[in-house]
Amino acid sequence: MFGSTVLEVAIGLAFCYATLALVVTTLQEALAGAFHLRANMLLDAVRRMLGDPRCEGLARALYAHPLANPRTGGAPASDRPSRPSYIEPGNFAIALIDSIRQGHASLEAAIGAVPDPQLQRTLQTLYSQAGADPARFQAAVAAWFEAAMERLSGVYKRRQLLVSFLLSLLLAILFNIDSIHLFRTLWQQPALAAQIGAMDATLSAAMLDQLWALPIGWQTFPPTLDAAFALQAAGWLVTASTTLFGAPFWFDVLQRAVNLRSTGAKPAPLDTRFDGGVVPVAGMLVPAAAPGSAPPVAAAGAPAATSGATAAAAAAPPSPA
């Protein structure tokens, strides 16, 4: 049937894209951990915020503070402090205020002695807005740092999207995962995708075995540079673009498609069907009345369900005009 073929093709494509997105996510996290991408971006952001591009002044003092950068196991401080991947905004505010107050009698004088003019103006503005209250000033510094981290998070996500696209494009070329060829093959031979069931969102050997059952991989290499190769390259780009949705999205699509193929559409509740439907009444199924129709007439011999007030009103004599 047409609907069955569509479901089989959707299941095969969703399974391929979900597996590829999961592999790309795993490689991406491995690269981020190996090259300390989060820690490096955080360090660059802190250096720009504090006006210390070489990390020799206030930024270095901040990173040496135990609240902002606690040393594992209480190790002694070194010439090159470690780089954390995350700093809690409240701890950043306390560490920054503690770093600029060293050797100064008051917090206002410490802010005035900050060497970077842009940072000095920012801190003076926050201090005046806080009404010279140290607690409110600390909360304002924490909010300033949190806003900067939100912008940094957006930059990191955009960079990771680019890395994800490049990794998926490399894998699509390496394993010849052509979405156009994959769609054509699954449409013409839906039995290839019929045996693909719902898989867990984990990279396992069973998942890879089912992935290799799909029409991917190189048959002849190197390819011929002709019109077919241009269509193949377009299929690679389509495959690489699908990973931008993420593995959870494609696994959710796969699960929904498999459930739809197995059970079909869920029927509407009985009490919501009016056009020729049935509703449960006193344990029996009777035809449902259309909206706005007259109430059912009681059967002959059946006692009328009237209240005492209604019966009394019916038995009372009519009032004189």
Side-chain angles (χ1 to χ4, degrees):
M1 295 177 61
F2 176 76
S4 178
T5 303
V6 171
L7 284 177
E8 300 298 344
V9 172
I11 290 172
L13 291 176
F15 177 77
C16 180
Y17 296 153
T19 308
L20 180 62
L22 185 60
V23 173
V24 169
T25 302
T26 304
L27 293 176
Q28 192 171 352
E29 289 299 322
L31 292 176
F35 293 99
H36 306 285
L37 297 181
R38 295 184 180 87
N40 291 336
M41 291 191 66
L42 178 60
L43 177 60
D44 292 338
V46 170
R47 290 189 300 186
R48 288 193 301 269
M49 290 178 62
L50 303 184
D52 188 8
R54 297 183 179 182
C55 197
E56 297 176 349
L58 191 56
R60 184 179 182 84
L62 177 71
Y63 265 72
H65 200 282
L67 282 178
N69 187 14
R71 294 183 294 275
T72 304
S78 59
D79 295 337
R80 185 178 181 181
S82 60
R83 294 171 294 178
S85 300
Y86 173 79
I87 299 177
E88 204 275 328
N91 293 339
F92 173 86
I94 298 175
L96 179 61
I97 295 174
D98 189 31
S99 299
I100 64 177
R101 289 195 65 173
Q102 296 181 0
H104 296 86
S106 63
L107 181 57
E108 185 176 3
I111 295 175
V114 172
D116 184 70
Q118 182 176 356
L119 176 62
Q120 181 185 113
R121 182 176 180 182
T122 301
L123 295 178
Q124 286 177 347
T125 303
L126 295 177
Y127 189 74
S128 61
Q129 290 293 327
D133 184 4
R136 294 177 58 188
F137 174 67
Q138 178 181 327
V141 173
W144 170 55
F145 177 74
E146 187 173 2
M149 290 302 101
E150 290 180 357
R151 294 192 300 268
L152 180 64
S153 178
V155 175
Y156 180 80
K157 290 180 179 179
R158 289 192 295 270
R159 291 185 181 181
Q160 290 301 95
L161 282 178
L162 178 60
V163 173
S164 176
F165 177 79
L166 294 178
L167 284 176
S168 58
L169 182 60
L170 177 62
L171 291 177
I173 297 174
L174 183 61
F175 296 103
N176 192 21
I177 308 177
D178 182 1
S179 292
I180 299 176
H181 173 67
L182 183 62
F183 174 79
R184 286 179 175 178
T185 306
L186 292 177
W187 183 260
Q188 297 172 359
Q189 304 175 10
L192 292 175
Q195 298 179 353
I196 297 178
M199 304 293 295
D200 296 331
T202 55
L203 186 61
S204 60
M207 176 182 291
L208 295 179
D209 290 340
Q210 292 198 7
L211 180 64
W212 288 117
L214 295 175
I216 62 176
W218 290 97
Q219 301 294 332
T220 58
F221 189 85
T224 305
L225 301 180
D226 51 5
F229 176 76
L231 190 62
Q232 187 179 21
W236 294 339
L237 292 175
V238 172
T239 303
S241 300
T242 58
T243 58
L244 300 179
F245 293 95
F249 170 81
W250 289 113
F251 275 104
D252 183 64
V253 171
L254 177 61
Q255 183 179 6
R256 291 176 182 271
V258 171
N259 292 338
L260 184 61
R261 183 186 64 177
S262 302
T263 61
K266 183 178 180 181
L270 292 177
D271 55 355
T272 61
R273 291 190 243 164
F274 297 103
D275 299 335
V278 292
V279 294
V281 175
M284 300 177 60
L285 297 179
V286 299
S293 61
V297 180
T306 58
S307 62
T310 304
S319 59

